Amino acid sequence: MMPTKIHPALIGFTVLVFLFLVGPLVIVFGAAISDTTYLTFPPQGISFRWFENIFAIDAFRRTILTSLQVAFIATFLALLIGIPAAYALNRHRVQLPAWLSTLFVLPVLVPELVLGFSLLKNLAFQFNAPIYLSLVIGHTILILPYVIRVISASLASFDFSIEEAAISLGSPPLKTFFTVLLPNVRSGVIAAFILAFITVINDVSISIFLTGPGLSTLPIQLLAHMEQFFDPTVASVSVLLMVLTVAVMAIVERTLGLTFLAK
């Protein structure tokens, strides 16, 4: 059988798409290593001092820790709520009302700016919640629909007769949930964790309403820095966020393999 010859136009189109996706990342990285005191591309000289400047500025150090803490806590809470919710929606889809699944996607349908303003009005003004607690609750609400949707996609292909067989053989329902069901949807749980964590780390729309004096997240601090300075530190922070994203994906690839998540 003769191999199929790829048309040159298709190769050219693929290269253009690749450049369109990778081009902005190359520009940001080039601006981050520039030796100038202002953002420019191509870089004028090579210097990594702007990466050092991120950790030299106290505000960036604090907001990096805050963003990581909020991301981990919000993702954990979203998984804690989302896994049982996705299980109930798929296991008892006949008994549950049809509108219930739509209820969990409402935060996605509502624009994030509207959602952020609503959270500000209710959490900060009406209930006078602390800033840190508001950030955690707000981001948990934001990522909960993604968690439920991703895990539901894994549960859609799960044969619940396996769970029923385990229970009929004497396994308690709770033990069956953790030893039979969860291992079978582990890929969905990990994918949901990655998506939720990265979403919280990079979120601006919710954080800009819920941050306050003395407590901010990294994206909001980045915006505040840009109001006063136009140096390559901004690009360096962006590169740092990209590296963090790649590191999370690399850890998953190292431990499970990205092909495992595609199952």
Side-chain angles (χ1 to χ4, degrees):
M1 184 177 179
M2 295 182 62
T4 304
K5 186 177 181 180
I6 302 176
H7 197 280
L10 182 59
I11 298 176
F13 179 76
T14 304
V15 172
L16 288 176
V17 172
F18 179 79
L19 292 176
F20 177 78
L21 294 175
V22 178
L25 305 183
V26 174
I27 293 174
V28 171
F29 181 77
I33 62 175
S34 178
D35 195 30
T36 59
T37 57
Y38 54 88
L39 281 172
T40 183
F41 185 86
Q44 307 297 316
I46 303 297
S47 175
F48 292 94
R49 63 190 175 107
W50 300 111
F51 289 95
E52 299 176 1
N53 195 45
I54 298 174
F55 301 97
I57 300 175
D58 181 64
F60 277 126
R61 294 200 304 269
R62 285 187 286 104
T63 53
I64 288 173
L65 291 176
T66 301
S67 292
L68 290 174
Q69 290 172 0
V70 171
F72 275 115
I73 296 174
T75 302
F76 173 77
L77 291 176
L79 290 173
L80 195 64
I81 300 170
I83 293 175
Y87 171 79
L89 290 172
N90 285 269
R91 183 69 174 84
H92 307 287
R93 66 180 66 182
V94 177
Q95 295 91 338
L96 293 174
W99 55 264
L100 191 58
S101 59
T102 307
L103 182 66
F104 287 104
V105 300
L106 285 179
V108 178
L109 301 177
V110 177
E112 288 190 20
L113 288 174
V114 176
L115 180 61
F117 178 76
S118 300
L119 290 170
L120 172 67
K121 182 177 181 299
N122 289 279
L123 291 177
F125 294 157
Q126 186 171 350
F127 295 102
N128 198 26
I131 298 174
Y132 193 91
L133 180 61
S134 299
L135 281 171
V136 171
I137 294 175
H139 286 102
T140 302
I141 294 174
L142 174 67
I143 62 179
L144 184 58
Y146 300 103
V147 170
I148 293 176
R149 285 298 182 182
V150 172
I151 297 177
S152 292
S154 294
L155 286 170
S157 59
F158 177 73
D159 187 358
F160 286 98
S161 63
I162 300 175
E163 180 190 34
E164 295 172 356
I167 294 175
S168 66
L169 291 173
S171 177
L174 188 61
K175 182 180 178 181
T176 302
F177 180 82
F178 284 103
T179 59
V180 177
L181 187 138
L182 274 186
N184 280 279
V185 297
R186 180 175 56 175
S187 59
V189 174
I190 296 174
F193 172 85
I194 294 173
L195 178 62
F197 183 83
I198 293 175
T199 300
V200 176
I201 284 289
N202 293 283
D203 174 72
V204 174
S205 301
I206 300 296
S207 299
I208 201 168
F209 285 100
L210 299 180
T211 52
L215 186 62
S216 184
T217 59
L218 181 58
I220 303 305
Q221 178 58 37
L222 185 60
L223 291 176
H225 184 83
M226 290 176 62
E227 292 179 356
Q228 304 179 36
F229 308 96
F230 198 66
D231 56 32
T233 304
V234 175
S236 300
V237 174
S238 301
V239 172
L240 183 67
L241 290 175
M242 289 190 289
V243 169
L244 177 63
T245 303
V246 172
V248 172
M249 298 301 296
I251 292 172
V252 174
E253 169 63 23
R254 188 73 175 176
T255 55
L256 295 174
L258 294 177
T259 53
F260 179 84
L261 295 180
K263 294 181 180 179

